[in-house]
Amino acid sequence: ANGSGLGDTRDQQEYLLQAENKELLAGETYLLTIYADPSLQAEGMQFTLQYDPKKVQFESSLTDSLLLSMMGVFEEEGLLTLSWASKMIPESMVLSLPFKALQRGEIADIIQIGDRITRSDAYIGERTLPVNIAFTEKTVNSPIVLNPYPNPFMEKVNILIQVSLLK
């Protein structure tokens, strides 16, 4: 509730940050790169990023000192608070945060956006939207045909194909 007694006055529509889901292996450091909502331009936002401190550790020593000075870091609780007062261009990179995996798992199961310390708000004109995060799966590249050149005057045709191999 807010001081006006009107309850949550945010729009129902969410401002949806984007990040790639990754498989984390214990002991390795990963960058969580967060991108702006692909369809909305926000003039600013704030949120609390929540993570499981038993599964990942925020690597503050690898974080840009200017960014770190503008964040609230609560490592024991697994909370980071962030806020911006600048435009978020759709699909642009918002920030990258380094985490060290303490256990194996998927980042989508470990990290979320919440209101615990700082309410998750995106400001779009006169509207205030709740902020959330969507994790996308990395897609395996489909085969790509490179410069096919069929020619009726040639007896043979070379068609190059690029295929990704899975390990």
Side-chain angles (χ1 to χ4, degrees), residues 9 11-12 17 30 40 50-51 54-55 59 62 74 78 80 89 93 101 113-114 118-119 122 127 139 141 143 155 161:
T9 58
D11 282 19
Q12 292 298 312
L17 296 169
Y30 296 87
L40 297 169
Q50 301 171 190
Y51 60 93
K54 293 177 185 154
K55 295 183 179 178
E59 295 284 284
L62 301 176
F74 306 89
L80 303 174
I89 306 300
M93 186 180 84
I113 300 288
T118 303
R119 192 169 106 153
R127 299 169 55 203
T139 57
N141 294 334
E155 196 172 298
I161 299 176

Coordinates of all heavy atoms in Angstrom, one line a residue, residues 9 11-12 17 30 40 50-51 54-55 59 62 74 78 80 89 93 101 113-114 118-119 122 127 139 141 143 155 161:
T9 N -0.6 1.3 -7.2 CA -1.1 2.1 -8.3 C -0.3 1.9 -9.6 O -0.5 2.6 -10.6 CB -0.9 3.6 -7.9 OG1 0.4 3.9 -7.7 CG2 -1.8 3.9 -6.7
D11 N 0.6 0.1 -13.2 CA -0.2 -0.6 -14.3 C -0.1 -2.1 -14.1 O 0.8 -2.6 -13.5 CB 0.4 -0.2 -15.7 CG 0.0 1.2 -16.1 OD1 -0.4 2.0 -15.3 OD2 0.1 1.4 -17.3
Q12 N -1.0 -2.8 -14.8 CA -1.0 -4.2 -14.8 C 0.1 -4.7 -15.8 O 0.7 -5.8 -15.6 CB -2.3 -4.8 -15.2 CG -3.4 -4.6 -14.2 CD -3.1 -5.3 -12.9 OE1 -2.7 -6.4 -12.8 NE2 -3.2 -4.5 -11.8
L17 N 12.4 -6.9 -18.4 CA 13.8 -7.0 -18.7 C 14.1 -8.4 -19.3 O 13.4 -9.4 -19.0 CB 14.7 -6.8 -17.4 CG 14.5 -5.4 -16.8 CD1 15.2 -5.4 -15.4 CD2 15.1 -4.4 -17.7
Y30 N 30.2 -16.0 -14.0 CA 29.3 -15.7 -15.1 C 28.8 -14.3 -15.1 O 28.7 -13.7 -14.0 CB 28.0 -16.6 -15.1 CG 28.3 -18.1 -15.2 CD1 28.6 -18.9 -14.1 CD2 28.3 -18.7 -16.5 CE1 28.9 -20.2 -14.3 CE2 28.6 -20.0 -16.6 CZ 28.9 -20.8 -15.5 OH 29.2 -22.1 -15.7
L40 N 9.2 -1.4 -25.0 CA 8.8 -0.2 -24.2 C 10.1 0.6 -23.9 O 11.1 0.1 -23.5 CB 8.1 -0.5 -22.9 CG 6.8 -1.2 -23.0 CD1 6.4 -1.7 -21.6 CD2 5.7 -0.3 -23.6
Q50 N 17.1 -10.1 -6.7 CA 17.2 -11.1 -5.6 C 17.9 -12.3 -6.2 O 17.6 -12.8 -7.3 CB 15.8 -11.5 -5.1 CG 15.0 -10.3 -4.5 CD 13.6 -10.6 -4.2 OE1 12.8 -9.7 -4.0 NE2 13.2 -11.9 -4.3
Y51 N 18.9 -12.9 -5.4 CA 19.5 -14.1 -5.8 C 19.7 -15.0 -4.6 O 19.7 -14.6 -3.5 CB 20.9 -13.8 -6.5 CG 21.9 -13.1 -5.7 CD1 22.8 -13.8 -4.9 CD2 21.9 -11.7 -5.6 CE1 23.7 -13.1 -4.1 CE2 22.8 -11.0 -4.8 CZ 23.7 -11.7 -4.1 OH 24.6 -11.0 -3.3
K54 N 23.2 -19.0 -1.5 CA 23.7 -20.4 -1.3 C 24.1 -21.0 -2.6 O 24.9 -21.9 -2.7 CB 22.7 -21.3 -0.6 CG 22.4 -20.9 0.8 CD 21.3 -21.7 1.4 CE 21.0 -21.2 2.8 NZ 19.6 -21.6 3.2
K55 N 23.6 -20.4 -3.7 CA 23.9 -20.9 -5.1 C 24.9 -20.0 -5.9 O 25.6 -20.6 -6.7 CB 22.6 -21.2 -5.8 CG 21.8 -22.2 -5.2 CD 20.5 -22.5 -5.9 CE 19.7 -23.6 -5.2 NZ 18.5 -23.9 -5.9
E59 N 30.0 -10.9 -7.4 CA 31.4 -10.6 -7.4 C 31.6 -9.1 -7.5 O 31.9 -8.6 -8.6 CB 32.1 -11.3 -8.6 CG 32.1 -12.8 -8.5 CD 33.1 -13.4 -7.6 OE1 34.3 -13.4 -7.9 OE2 32.7 -13.7 -6.4
L62 N 34.6 -7.4 -9.2 CA 34.7 -7.4 -10.7 C 33.7 -6.5 -11.3 O 33.5 -6.4 -12.5 CB 34.4 -8.8 -11.2 CG 35.3 -10.0 -10.8 CD1 34.9 -11.3 -11.3 CD2 36.7 -9.7 -11.2
F74 N 23.5 -6.2 -0.6 CA 23.2 -6.9 0.6 C 23.5 -8.3 0.4 O 22.6 -9.2 0.1 CB 21.8 -6.7 1.0 CG 21.4 -5.2 1.1 CD1 20.9 -4.5 0.0 CD2 21.5 -4.5 2.3 CE1 20.6 -3.2 0.1 CE2 21.2 -3.2 2.4 CZ 20.7 -2.5 1.3
G78 N 21.4 -11.8 -0.3 CA 21.3 -12.0 -1.7 C 20.4 -11.0 -2.4 O 19.6 -11.3 -3.2
L80 N 20.4 -7.0 -4.4 CA 21.1 -5.8 -5.0 C 20.0 -4.9 -5.3 O 19.0 -5.2 -5.9 CB 21.8 -6.2 -6.3 CG 22.9 -7.3 -6.2 CD1 23.4 -7.6 -7.6 CD2 24.0 -6.8 -5.3
I89 N 16.5 2.5 -23.8 CA 16.2 2.2 -25.2 C 15.8 0.7 -25.3 O 16.5 -0.1 -24.8 CB 17.3 2.5 -26.2 CG1 17.9 4.0 -26.0 CG2 16.9 2.3 -27.6 CD1 16.9 5.1 -26.2
M93 N 21.4 -2.9 -23.9 CA 21.9 -3.5 -22.7 C 21.8 -2.6 -21.5 O 22.1 -1.4 -21.6 CB 23.4 -3.9 -22.8 CG 24.0 -4.7 -21.7 SD 25.7 -5.1 -21.8 CE 26.4 -3.6 -21.2
A101 N 29.3 -19.0 -9.5 CA 28.4 -20.1 -9.1 C 29.0 -20.9 -7.9 O 30.2 -21.3 -8.0 CB 28.2 -21.0 -10.3
I113 N 13.6 -10.6 -10.0 CA 13.4 -9.2 -9.7 C 12.2 -9.2 -8.6 O 11.3 -9.9 -8.7 CB 12.9 -8.4 -10.9 CG1 14.0 -8.5 -12.0 CG2 12.6 -7.0 -10.5 CD1 15.2 -7.7 -11.8
G114 N 12.4 -8.3 -7.6 CA 11.4 -8.2 -6.6 C 11.3 -6.8 -6.0 O 12.0 -5.9 -6.4
T118 N 13.8 -2.2 -2.6 CA 13.3 -1.2 -3.5 C 12.2 -1.7 -4.4 O 12.4 -2.7 -5.0 CB 14.5 -0.7 -4.4 OG1 15.6 -0.3 -3.6 CG2 14.1 0.4 -5.3
R119 N 11.1 -1.0 -4.4 CA 9.9 -1.4 -5.2 C 10.3 -1.4 -6.7 O 11.0 -0.5 -7.2 CB 8.8 -0.5 -5.0 CG 7.5 -1.0 -5.6 CD 6.3 -0.2 -5.1 NE 5.9 0.6 -6.2 CZ 4.6 1.1 -6.3 NH1 3.7 0.8 -5.4 NH2 4.3 1.8 -7.3
A122 N 9.1 0.8 -13.3 CA 9.6 1.5 -14.5 C 8.7 2.6 -14.8 O 7.5 2.5 -14.7 CB 9.6 0.5 -15.7
R127 N 2.9 6.8 -16.7 CA 2.6 5.4 -16.2 C 3.8 4.9 -15.3 O 5.0 5.2 -15.6 CB 2.4 4.5 -17.4 CG 1.3 4.9 -18.2 CD 1.2 4.2 -19.5 NE 1.2 2.7 -19.3 CZ 1.6 1.8 -20.3 NH1 2.0 2.3 -21.4 NH2 1.5 0.6 -20.0
T139 N 19.2 -20.6 -28.3 CA 18.8 -21.5 -29.3 C 20.0 -22.1 -30.0 O 20.9 -21.4 -30.3 CB 17.8 -20.9 -30.3 OG1 18.5 -19.7 -30.8 CG2 16.5 -20.4 -29.6
N141 N 21.8 -23.0 -33.2 CA 21.7 -22.4 -34.5 C 21.3 -23.5 -35.5 O 21.8 -24.6 -35.5 CB 23.1 -21.9 -35.0 CG 23.5 -20.7 -34.1 OD1 22.7 -20.0 -33.6 ND2 24.8 -20.4 -34.0
P143 N 21.2 -24.9 -39.4 CA 22.1 -24.8 -40.5 C 21.9 -23.6 -41.4 O 20.8 -23.2 -41.6 CB 21.9 -26.1 -41.3 CG 21.1 -27.0 -40.4 CD 20.4 -26.1 -39.4
E155 N 28.7 -27.7 -64.6 CA 28.4 -29.1 -64.4 C 28.2 -29.4 -62.9 O 27.4 -30.3 -62.6 CB 29.5 -30.0 -65.0 CG 29.1 -31.4 -65.2 CD 30.1 -32.2 -66.0 OE1 30.4 -31.8 -67.1 OE2 30.7 -33.1 -65.4
I161 N 27.6 -25.1 -46.3 CA 26.6 -25.1 -45.2 C 27.4 -25.0 -43.9 O 28.4 -25.7 -43.7 CB 25.8 -26.4 -45.2 CG1 25.0 -26.5 -46.5 CG2 24.9 -26.4 -44.0 CD1 24.2 -27.8 -46.6

